[in-house]
Amino acid sequence: MLGVIVYFFSENQFFKVGSNWFEELKDRGLFEERVRNLRRNFWKSFLLVLFVIGGLAFYLVQAGHTVLDKIFCLRFVAIIMALTASLGKGGWNIQSIDGITVIERIDRGMFVITQLGATVVLLLALTLK
């Protein structure tokens, strides 16, 4: 839940909700830059992947190399999810010495959830006919 809030809601809302659950988020100053880096990485990677893969998909459909059907759309979504999760990780920008801050756990958790989600969508697309 907090992972969704960090990416899709404002920083103020993240810290308001997060500080109710995690005592360490009450000291907002320690985490503001890490939250900004996490959000920035995610949205930059999402837009980059959407632009590149979307352009490729548009070309493939227009050139007649593929048909725009539900299987193609599911594969498209799975690719975007997997690449966004990989490219959008916070990495060293949010790293602490211990590696166990809330922000780092959110980053790892959202990566795993997104990769599993992309795998499920891709497997669904592969089983459809």
Side-chain angles (χ1 to χ4, degrees):
M1 173 80 166
L2 202 53
V4 172
I5 293 172
V6 76
Y7 293 121
F8 296 104
F9 293 93
S10 73
E11 287 179 33
N12 290 334
Q13 290 171 320
F14 168 74
F15 282 109
K16 183 178 177 182
V17 172
S19 63
N20 291 333
W21 295 340
F22 298 98
E23 193 69 31
E24 65 186 285
L25 289 178
K26 290 188 185 208
D27 187 9
R28 183 176 174 154
L30 292 173
F31 296 102
E32 278 188 277
E33 188 60 32
R34 291 178 186 171
V35 169
R36 279 191 207 107
N37 282 332
L38 199 60
R39 292 168 58 96
R40 189 178 320 120
N41 286 350
F42 173 79
W43 287 109
K44 280 175 41 179
S45 69
F46 175 74
L47 293 174
L48 176 67
V49 168
L50 188 64
F51 178 74
V52 171
I53 300 300
L56 178 62
F58 180 77
Y59 167 75
L60 290 173
V61 171
Q62 291 300 317
H65 296 295
T66 190
V67 178
L68 189 62
D69 60 357
K70 64 183 174 188
I71 295 172
F72 179 80
C73 290
L74 284 173
R75 289 177 183 165
F76 182 74
V77 168
I79 289 169
I80 288 176
M81 286 173 66
L83 287 175
T84 299
S86 298
L87 296 175
K89 276 193 63 65
W92 292 109
N93 293 334
I94 64 164
Q95 194 70 28
S96 68
I97 293 173
D98 295 335
I100 56 169
T101 64
V102 174
I103 307 302
E104 292 166 303
R105 289 184 286 170
I106 289 171
D107 187 40
R108 284 190 298 269
M110 292 303 285
F111 176 76
V112 170
I113 289 169
T114 309
Q115 290 293 342
L116 290 173
T119 302
V120 168
V121 172
L122 188 56
L123 288 174
L124 178 64
L126 292 173
T127 58
L128 294 176
K129 291 191 179 196

